[in-house]
Amino acid sequence: MFDLFRNHRRWMQFILLILIVPSFFLVGIQGYDSFMSREPELATVAGQPITRGEFDMAHRNQLEQFRQQLGSQFDPALVDTPAMREQLLNQLIDQRLLLQVAADNRFSVSDGTLRNTIAAIPQVQDNGRFSPERYRQVLAAQGMTPSSFEAGLRRDLAMARVLDPISQSAAAPATVIASLESALTQRRTVQLRRFDAAAYRSQVSVSEQDIQAWYDANQQQLVVPEHVTAQYLVLDEAAATQGVQVNDEDIASYYEQNKQRFGQPERRRASHIMIEVPAGASEDVRKAARAKAEALASQAAADPARFAELARANSQDAGSADNGGDLGWLAPGMLAGALEKAIWSLSKDQVSGVVESPSGLHIVKITEVQPAALKPLDQVRDEITAEIRKQIAASRFAEMATKLTETVYDQRDSLQPAADALGLKLRTATGIARDGLLPAEQAGEGAAAASPDAQLLDNPRVRQALFSSEVLREKQNSGVIELSPDTMLAVRVSESKPEHVPPLEKVSELIRDRLVDERAAEAARQAATAALEGWKADPAAVPEGFSEATVVSRQQPGQLSQSVLEAAMRLPAQPLPAYTGVADGDDYVVVRLDKIEPGTADAAARDMLARQLGAAWGQAEDAGVMKMLRDKYQVKILPEAASALQSSDQSAG
């Protein structure tokens, strides 16, 4: 066959040419080019495409950042949504747009600006100064080279020049600041009358027909999502220490080997008189300082009781002179050199000669000595026992983790062999859905939400494992799931239940309670509305049943809920008193407004408000400029973007 090609190469080329050339006329050369090289385009900026490949790479990087930030709590279902993908695509569009504007306007960044920006990054500084070595280390840890990082930073700085002048110069008008300050600080005196829904429950009746009608009309609200009953094993420190016994010999041996941890070394309390010798002092100055120190040392040695008096009068150590030279309690190693040696060589009440240190000349006196002390074994027995158990547990945990990993794969359709091999309890919980744990009352007996292990079972990685194909459909054991360095799980689905609406008999009481709550709340609202109309008709009368007057503002709401506060603050200033009503949960609250007073903000609060409004104003102006630039540069989001913006689950579906 290959000989035929070699011997008739020119004929083969001619035949291939005959086969290929007509197809160019059928689909066009551009069709071949598209088929061979072009990626789907999601958007265009000034005619330049943003491809599916660019979007997918940015999307992978984004998910990896979330994974690193959230650790074991990372749940793709919460962060990989169509809204998040749309936001990412818009970020890519804005970045491309800003790059184009920067290029068209020849915005550049000088080498000096680039150097100064890099030098100001704290992560590449050593003792507050730029460190080239640290710079290279940090970049290497990120998998980057200096040239690639600097190119990216130069690009980002150039892009920033497009919008920075707008956001940095933005400031909210003074009238807007003043208006918001007035609204935030205005003080209103109000009284409340609460109509409790609970007081009307006894007046409410709900028939079986009412329950049936609600059930028929609202089944969508009763849907129980797909969920599973899971068997699981937990390997943690408690499991690793189960059955561990610590005998007296081990405790005694540990105590002997670690006596330094259970005692306190000798401590000494010292006082000193210091005579400063400035750095670079002349020989005459040094001699004068030593002469003074030796004279003081002689006086102190002759009458140690006067040491504190001499220190207060002569010591040049401002931190201790007023306290008679007291240095406090000292442990071995707290000082250094000749000063350390002198303190630990003196006896109680003994005064040293002149001791030289880098800070000056010292005369030292030991005022108290606290001998070394060792706690008796009985006092630290429980502490030692716990530490030994923890050490044994760490070793056992590693062994058990290895064994658990092996045994869950040996017999994939059951966790019982692994439980038996490791002495772990096989646990069961129900009501675990893809997006979380069902409420205990909905899941029923054995609800995961009511289990001591609820936090473990609600971990996104555990739920992902339970709803993976081999675990959910094939009822196989999961692999070992490491939630933290000292907690591991293995799970298996024992039963799965599809999404369904429970039968009426299982939810009738739930519906009854709901209807009673709704009708009691409506009765409270009606009673409040009727009373409110009467009070509005005669506003000068002082009605009964209202609470004591209280002064509130948007910044100081007191005990008012958000809904009641907003109702009180929305009432017009005239006429007063004024009334309004608002639902507060199931209850209904009538608000009486008696008085309005202007409030004031201090200078710091006013400055903060101005800064916050300035930032918000700048963001709004940035958004306006970006919208204008999108129109100018003819940004288009193409039909292909629709599929890219679907979450992974939806796409798979």
Side-chain angles (χ1 to χ4, degrees), residues 154-184:
R154 192 186 293 272
R155 177 202 63 208
D156 293 343
L157 291 173
M159 284 195 302
R161 292 191 59 191
V162 178
L163 292 179
D164 276 359
I166 300 168
S167 55
Q168 290 176 0
S169 62
T175 54
V176 173
I177 297 173
S179 177
L180 281 175
E181 180 186 341
S182 174
L184 288 170

PDB file of all heavy atoms in Angstrom, residues 154-184:
ATOM      1  N   ARG A 154       1.996  46.912  34.189  1.00  0.00           N
ATOM      2  CA  ARG A 154       2.036  48.104  33.323  1.00  0.00           C
ATOM      3  C   ARG A 154       0.706  48.249  32.574  1.00  0.00           C
ATOM      4  O   ARG A 154       0.169  49.358  32.437  1.00  0.00           O
ATOM      5  CB  ARG A 154       3.194  47.987  32.327  1.00  0.00           C
ATOM      6  CG  ARG A 154       3.489  49.294  31.586  1.00  0.00           C
ATOM      7  CD  ARG A 154       4.547  49.068  30.524  1.00  0.00           C
ATOM      8  NE  ARG A 154       5.853  48.747  31.075  1.00  0.00           N
ATOM      9  CZ  ARG A 154       6.767  49.655  31.427  1.00  0.00           C
ATOM     10  NH1 ARG A 154       6.495  50.939  31.308  1.00  0.00           N
ATOM     11  NH2 ARG A 154       7.933  49.279  31.904  1.00  0.00           N
ATOM     12  N   ARG A 155       0.165  47.137  32.126  1.00  0.00           N
ATOM     13  CA  ARG A 155      -1.133  47.167  31.435  1.00  0.00           C
ATOM     14  C   ARG A 155      -2.237  47.643  32.375  1.00  0.00           C
ATOM     15  O   ARG A 155      -3.070  48.472  32.029  1.00  0.00           O
ATOM     16  CB  ARG A 155      -1.459  45.769  30.921  1.00  0.00           C
ATOM     17  CG  ARG A 155      -2.816  45.635  30.233  1.00  0.00           C
ATOM     18  CD  ARG A 155      -3.258  44.191  30.245  1.00  0.00           C
ATOM     19  NE  ARG A 155      -3.446  43.732  31.618  1.00  0.00           N
ATOM     20  CZ  ARG A 155      -3.302  42.473  32.009  1.00  0.00           C
ATOM     21  NH1 ARG A 155      -2.925  41.536  31.167  1.00  0.00           N
ATOM     22  NH2 ARG A 155      -3.513  42.146  33.274  1.00  0.00           N
ATOM     23  N   ASP A 156      -2.244  47.098  33.623  1.00  0.00           N
ATOM     24  CA  ASP A 156      -3.280  47.482  34.589  1.00  0.00           C
ATOM     25  C   ASP A 156      -3.192  48.960  34.953  1.00  0.00           C
ATOM     26  O   ASP A 156      -4.205  49.644  35.106  1.00  0.00           O
ATOM     27  CB  ASP A 156      -3.158  46.627  35.856  1.00  0.00           C
ATOM     28  CG  ASP A 156      -3.491  45.163  35.601  1.00  0.00           C
ATOM     29  OD1 ASP A 156      -4.117  44.874  34.556  1.00  0.00           O
ATOM     30  OD2 ASP A 156      -3.123  44.319  36.442  1.00  0.00           O
ATOM     31  N   LEU A 157      -1.966  49.466  35.098  1.00  0.00           N
ATOM     32  CA  LEU A 157      -1.801  50.884  35.431  1.00  0.00           C
ATOM     33  C   LEU A 157      -2.258  51.776  34.283  1.00  0.00           C
ATOM     34  O   LEU A 157      -2.844  52.846  34.506  1.00  0.00           O
ATOM     35  CB  LEU A 157      -0.332  51.174  35.766  1.00  0.00           C
ATOM     36  CG  LEU A 157       0.191  50.554  37.074  1.00  0.00           C
ATOM     37  CD1 LEU A 157       1.698  50.772  37.198  1.00  0.00           C
ATOM     38  CD2 LEU A 157      -0.526  51.157  38.281  1.00  0.00           C
ATOM     39  N   ALA A 158      -2.007  51.321  33.066  1.00  0.00           N
ATOM     40  CA  ALA A 158      -2.472  52.093  31.906  1.00  0.00           C
ATOM     41  C   ALA A 158      -3.995  52.111  31.848  1.00  0.00           C
ATOM     42  O   ALA A 158      -4.616  53.148  31.574  1.00  0.00           O
ATOM     43  CB  ALA A 158      -1.889  51.508  30.624  1.00  0.00           C
ATOM     44  N   MET A 159      -4.615  50.964  32.115  1.00  0.00           N
ATOM     45  CA  MET A 159      -6.082  50.910  32.133  1.00  0.00           C
ATOM     46  C   MET A 159      -6.649  51.805  33.220  1.00  0.00           C
ATOM     47  O   MET A 159      -7.688  52.456  33.044  1.00  0.00           O
ATOM     48  CB  MET A 159      -6.556  49.465  32.365  1.00  0.00           C
ATOM     49  CG  MET A 159      -6.442  48.568  31.160  1.00  0.00           C
ATOM     50  SD  MET A 159      -7.408  47.046  31.374  1.00  0.00           S
ATOM     51  CE  MET A 159      -6.679  46.367  32.854  1.00  0.00           C
ATOM     52  N   ALA A 160      -5.978  51.815  34.386  1.00  0.00           N
ATOM     53  CA  ALA A 160      -6.481  52.618  35.504  1.00  0.00           C
ATOM     54  C   ALA A 160      -6.516  54.095  35.150  1.00  0.00           C
ATOM     55  O   ALA A 160      -7.346  54.848  35.679  1.00  0.00           O
ATOM     56  CB  ALA A 160      -5.609  52.396  36.740  1.00  0.00           C
ATOM     57  N   ARG A 161      -5.669  54.531  34.234  1.00  0.00           N
ATOM     58  CA  ARG A 161      -5.624  55.945  33.867  1.00  0.00           C
ATOM     59  C   ARG A 161      -6.885  56.385  33.135  1.00  0.00           C
ATOM     60  O   ARG A 161      -7.159  57.580  33.024  1.00  0.00           O
ATOM     61  CB  ARG A 161      -4.400  56.238  32.995  1.00  0.00           C
ATOM     62  CG  ARG A 161      -3.066  56.098  33.726  1.00  0.00           C
ATOM     63  CD  ARG A 161      -1.937  56.643  32.896  1.00  0.00           C
ATOM     64  NE  ARG A 161      -2.142  58.058  32.568  1.00  0.00           N
ATOM     65  CZ  ARG A 161      -1.414  58.721  31.677  1.00  0.00           C
ATOM     66  NH1 ARG A 161      -0.436  58.106  31.035  1.00  0.00           N
ATOM     67  NH2 ARG A 161      -1.663  59.993  31.431  1.00  0.00           N
ATOM     68  N   VAL A 162      -7.667  55.422  32.641  1.00  0.00           N
ATOM     69  CA  VAL A 162      -8.904  55.781  31.938  1.00  0.00           C
ATOM     70  C   VAL A 162      -9.946  56.294  32.923  1.00  0.00           C
ATOM     71  O   VAL A 162     -10.583  57.329  32.700  1.00  0.00           O
ATOM     72  CB  VAL A 162      -9.452  54.571  31.157  1.00  0.00           C
ATOM     73  CG1 VAL A 162     -10.763  54.933  30.466  1.00  0.00           C
ATOM     74  CG2 VAL A 162      -8.422  54.082  30.136  1.00  0.00           C
ATOM     75  N   LEU A 163     -10.141  55.576  34.043  1.00  0.00           N
ATOM     76  CA  LEU A 163     -11.220  55.901  34.967  1.00  0.00           C
ATOM     77  C   LEU A 163     -10.765  56.606  36.234  1.00  0.00           C
ATOM     78  O   LEU A 163     -11.576  57.269  36.887  1.00  0.00           O
ATOM     79  CB  LEU A 163     -11.979  54.628  35.356  1.00  0.00           C
ATOM     80  CG  LEU A 163     -12.789  53.943  34.255  1.00  0.00           C
ATOM     81  CD1 LEU A 163     -13.463  52.699  34.786  1.00  0.00           C
ATOM     82  CD2 LEU A 163     -13.826  54.893  33.662  1.00  0.00           C
ATOM     83  N   ASP A 164      -9.504  56.452  36.628  1.00  0.00           N
ATOM     84  CA  ASP A 164      -9.051  57.041  37.891  1.00  0.00           C
ATOM     85  C   ASP A 164      -9.327  58.541  37.991  1.00  0.00           C
ATOM     86  O   ASP A 164      -9.776  59.021  39.037  1.00  0.00           O
ATOM     87  CB  ASP A 164      -7.557  56.765  38.105  1.00  0.00           C
ATOM     88  CG  ASP A 164      -7.332  55.395  38.731  1.00  0.00           C
ATOM     89  OD1 ASP A 164      -8.338  54.699  39.001  1.00  0.00           O
ATOM     90  OD2 ASP A 164      -6.165  55.022  38.949  1.00  0.00           O
ATOM     91  N   PRO A 165      -9.068  59.327  36.946  1.00  0.00           N
ATOM     92  CA  PRO A 165      -9.348  60.766  37.085  1.00  0.00           C
ATOM     93  C   PRO A 165     -10.816  61.056  37.386  1.00  0.00           C
ATOM     94  O   PRO A 165     -11.134  62.047  38.036  1.00  0.00           O
ATOM     95  CB  PRO A 165      -8.946  61.321  35.708  1.00  0.00           C
ATOM     96  CG  PRO A 165      -7.962  60.342  35.171  1.00  0.00           C
ATOM     97  CD  PRO A 165      -8.434  59.006  35.663  1.00  0.00           C
ATOM     98  N   ILE A 166     -11.705  60.179  36.912  1.00  0.00           N
ATOM     99  CA  ILE A 166     -13.140  60.393  37.145  1.00  0.00           C
ATOM    100  C   ILE A 166     -13.497  60.077  38.590  1.00  0.00           C
ATOM    101  O   ILE A 166     -14.082  60.891  39.308  1.00  0.00           O
ATOM    102  CB  ILE A 166     -13.971  59.522  36.178  1.00  0.00           C
ATOM    103  CG1 ILE A 166     -13.653  59.897  34.731  1.00  0.00           C
ATOM    104  CG2 ILE A 166     -15.464  59.664  36.473  1.00  0.00           C
ATOM    105  CD1 ILE A 166     -14.195  58.932  33.714  1.00  0.00           C
ATOM    106  N   SER A 167     -13.119  58.861  39.046  1.00  0.00           N
ATOM    107  CA  SER A 167     -13.509  58.441  40.392  1.00  0.00           C
ATOM    108  C   SER A 167     -12.790  59.251  41.469  1.00  0.00           C
ATOM    109  O   SER A 167     -13.361  59.543  42.521  1.00  0.00           O
ATOM    110  CB  SER A 167     -13.216  56.945  40.578  1.00  0.00           C
ATOM    111  OG  SER A 167     -11.862  56.655  40.297  1.00  0.00           O
ATOM    112  N   GLN A 168     -11.550  59.644  41.207  1.00  0.00           N
ATOM    113  CA  GLN A 168     -10.798  60.393  42.218  1.00  0.00           C
ATOM    114  C   GLN A 168     -11.298  61.817  42.376  1.00  0.00           C
ATOM    115  O   GLN A 168     -11.176  62.413  43.447  1.00  0.00           O
ATOM    116  CB  GLN A 168      -9.306  60.397  41.855  1.00  0.00           C
ATOM    117  CG  GLN A 168      -8.644  59.041  42.022  1.00  0.00           C
ATOM    118  CD  GLN A 168      -7.199  59.044  41.560  1.00  0.00           C
ATOM    119  OE1 GLN A 168      -6.679  60.067  41.113  1.00  0.00           O
ATOM    120  NE2 GLN A 168      -6.538  57.896  41.650  1.00  0.00           N
ATOM    121  N   SER A 169     -11.852  62.373  41.314  1.00  0.00           N
ATOM    122  CA  SER A 169     -12.333  63.749  41.394  1.00  0.00           C
ATOM    123  C   SER A 169     -13.814  63.832  41.727  1.00  0.00           C
ATOM    124  O   SER A 169     -14.354  64.925  41.901  1.00  0.00           O
ATOM    125  CB  SER A 169     -12.074  64.474  40.066  1.00  0.00           C
ATOM    126  OG  SER A 169     -12.793  63.833  39.016  1.00  0.00           O
ATOM    127  N   ALA A 170     -14.480  62.680  41.817  1.00  0.00           N
ATOM    128  CA  ALA A 170     -15.921  62.684  42.061  1.00  0.00           C
ATOM    129  C   ALA A 170     -16.216  63.146  43.479  1.00  0.00           C
ATOM    130  O   ALA A 170     -15.527  62.770  44.430  1.00  0.00           O
ATOM    131  CB  ALA A 170     -16.490  61.291  41.832  1.00  0.00           C
ATOM    132  N   ALA A 171     -17.235  63.952  43.603  1.00  0.00           N
ATOM    133  CA  ALA A 171     -17.682  64.401  44.918  1.00  0.00           C
ATOM    134  C   ALA A 171     -19.171  64.664  44.844  1.00  0.00           C
ATOM    135  O   ALA A 171     -19.661  65.287  43.898  1.00  0.00           O
ATOM    136  CB  ALA A 171     -16.937  65.666  45.341  1.00  0.00           C
ATOM    137  N   ALA A 172     -19.898  64.188  45.833  1.00  0.00           N
ATOM    138  CA  ALA A 172     -21.336  64.420  45.862  1.00  0.00           C
ATOM    139  C   ALA A 172     -21.603  65.891  46.120  1.00  0.00           C
ATOM    140  O   ALA A 172     -20.897  66.531  46.912  1.00  0.00           O
ATOM    141  CB  ALA A 172     -21.974  63.564  46.946  1.00  0.00           C
ATOM    142  N   PRO A 173     -22.622  66.455  45.490  1.00  0.00           N
ATOM    143  CA  PRO A 173     -22.952  67.873  45.735  1.00  0.00           C
ATOM    144  C   PRO A 173     -23.267  68.120  47.206  1.00  0.00           C
ATOM    145  O   PRO A 173     -23.808  67.253  47.900  1.00  0.00           O
ATOM    146  CB  PRO A 173     -24.190  68.098  44.856  1.00  0.00           C
ATOM    147  CG  PRO A 173     -24.105  67.044  43.794  1.00  0.00           C
ATOM    148  CD  PRO A 173     -23.468  65.863  44.443  1.00  0.00           C
ATOM    149  N   ALA A 174     -22.943  69.321  47.666  1.00  0.00           N
ATOM    150  CA  ALA A 174     -23.163  69.664  49.070  1.00  0.00           C
ATOM    151  C   ALA A 174     -24.627  69.550  49.459  1.00  0.00           C
ATOM    152  O   ALA A 174     -24.956  69.155  50.583  1.00  0.00           O
ATOM    153  CB  ALA A 174     -22.645  71.079  49.335  1.00  0.00           C
ATOM    154  N   THR A 175     -25.518  69.881  48.509  1.00  0.00           N
ATOM    155  CA  THR A 175     -26.949  69.791  48.827  1.00  0.00           C
ATOM    156  C   THR A 175     -27.377  68.347  49.074  1.00  0.00           C
ATOM    157  O   THR A 175     -28.220  68.082  49.927  1.00  0.00           O
ATOM    158  CB  THR A 175     -27.776  70.388  47.679  1.00  0.00           C
ATOM    159  OG1 THR A 175     -27.395  69.742  46.440  1.00  0.00           O
ATOM    160  CG2 THR A 175     -27.566  71.881  47.567  1.00  0.00           C
ATOM    161  N   VAL A 176     -26.778  67.433  48.318  1.00  0.00           N
ATOM    162  CA  VAL A 176     -27.109  66.011  48.510  1.00  0.00           C
ATOM    163  C   VAL A 176     -26.596  65.536  49.872  1.00  0.00           C
ATOM    164  O   VAL A 176     -27.300  64.838  50.608  1.00  0.00           O
ATOM    165  CB  VAL A 176     -26.505  65.164  47.374  1.00  0.00           C
ATOM    166  CG1 VAL A 176     -26.691  63.677  47.652  1.00  0.00           C
ATOM    167  CG2 VAL A 176     -27.132  65.540  46.038  1.00  0.00           C
ATOM    168  N   ILE A 177     -25.378  65.923  50.210  1.00  0.00           N
ATOM    169  CA  ILE A 177     -24.810  65.534  51.504  1.00  0.00           C
ATOM    170  C   ILE A 177     -25.659  66.091  52.639  1.00  0.00           C
ATOM    171  O   ILE A 177     -25.989  65.387  53.605  1.00  0.00           O
ATOM    172  CB  ILE A 177     -23.355  66.021  51.619  1.00  0.00           C
ATOM    173  CG1 ILE A 177     -22.485  65.353  50.553  1.00  0.00           C
ATOM    174  CG2 ILE A 177     -22.804  65.740  53.016  1.00  0.00           C
ATOM    175  CD1 ILE A 177     -21.070  65.892  50.491  1.00  0.00           C
ATOM    176  N   ALA A 178     -26.037  67.363  52.520  1.00  0.00           N
ATOM    177  CA  ALA A 178     -26.835  67.987  53.575  1.00  0.00           C
ATOM    178  C   ALA A 178     -28.190  67.313  53.708  1.00  0.00           C
ATOM    179  O   ALA A 178     -28.694  67.097  54.822  1.00  0.00           O
ATOM    180  CB  ALA A 178     -27.004  69.473  53.276  1.00  0.00           C
ATOM    181  N   SER A 179     -28.801  66.961  52.570  1.00  0.00           N
ATOM    182  CA  SER A 179     -30.111  66.313  52.602  1.00  0.00           C
ATOM    183  C   SER A 179     -30.039  64.945  53.269  1.00  0.00           C
ATOM    184  O   SER A 179     -30.878  64.598  54.106  1.00  0.00           O
ATOM    185  CB  SER A 179     -30.649  66.181  51.174  1.00  0.00           C
ATOM    186  OG  SER A 179     -31.885  65.494  51.172  1.00  0.00           O
ATOM    187  N   LEU A 180     -29.023  64.180  52.919  1.00  0.00           N
ATOM    188  CA  LEU A 180     -28.872  62.849  53.520  1.00  0.00           C
ATOM    189  C   LEU A 180     -28.513  62.952  55.004  1.00  0.00           C
ATOM    190  O   LEU A 180     -28.985  62.157  55.820  1.00  0.00           O
ATOM    191  CB  LEU A 180     -27.806  62.059  52.775  1.00  0.00           C
ATOM    192  CG  LEU A 180     -28.265  61.434  51.461  1.00  0.00           C
ATOM    193  CD1 LEU A 180     -27.101  60.787  50.737  1.00  0.00           C
ATOM    194  CD2 LEU A 180     -29.353  60.387  51.704  1.00  0.00           C
ATOM    195  N   GLU A 181     -27.681  63.926  55.343  1.00  0.00           N
ATOM    196  CA  GLU A 181     -27.334  64.107  56.753  1.00  0.00           C
ATOM    197  C   GLU A 181     -28.585  64.423  57.567  1.00  0.00           C
ATOM    198  O   GLU A 181     -28.790  63.889  58.664  1.00  0.00           O
ATOM    199  CB  GLU A 181     -26.318  65.237  56.900  1.00  0.00           C
ATOM    200  CG  GLU A 181     -25.901  65.489  58.347  1.00  0.00           C
ATOM    201  CD  GLU A 181     -25.007  66.697  58.497  1.00  0.00           C
ATOM    202  OE1 GLU A 181     -24.419  67.138  57.493  1.00  0.00           O
ATOM    203  OE2 GLU A 181     -24.913  67.211  59.626  1.00  0.00           O
ATOM    204  N   SER A 182     -29.444  65.275  57.016  1.00  0.00           N
ATOM    205  CA  SER A 182     -30.688  65.621  57.713  1.00  0.00           C
ATOM    206  C   SER A 182     -31.576  64.397  57.884  1.00  0.00           C
ATOM    207  O   SER A 182     -32.138  64.167  58.954  1.00  0.00           O
ATOM    208  CB  SER A 182     -31.427  66.708  56.930  1.00  0.00           C
ATOM    209  OG  SER A 182     -32.693  66.965  57.507  1.00  0.00           O
ATOM    210  N   ALA A 183     -31.675  63.584  56.823  1.00  0.00           N
ATOM    211  CA  ALA A 183     -32.523  62.397  56.891  1.00  0.00           C
ATOM    212  C   ALA A 183     -31.991  61.381  57.899  1.00  0.00           C
ATOM    213  O   ALA A 183     -32.765  60.712  58.593  1.00  0.00           O
ATOM    214  CB  ALA A 183     -32.630  61.757  55.510  1.00  0.00           C
ATOM    215  N   LEU A 184     -30.660  61.262  57.995  1.00  0.00           N
ATOM    216  CA  LEU A 184     -30.062  60.285  58.901  1.00  0.00           C
ATOM    217  C   LEU A 184     -30.138  60.715  60.360  1.00  0.00           C
ATOM    218  O   LEU A 184     -30.256  59.875  61.254  1.00  0.00           O
ATOM    219  CB  LEU A 184     -28.598  60.045  58.521  1.00  0.00           C
ATOM    220  CG  LEU A 184     -28.353  59.260  57.228  1.00  0.00           C
ATOM    221  CD1 LEU A 184     -26.881  59.308  56.855  1.00  0.00           C
ATOM    222  CD2 LEU A 184     -28.818  57.809  57.376  1.00  0.00           C
TER     223      LEU A 184
END
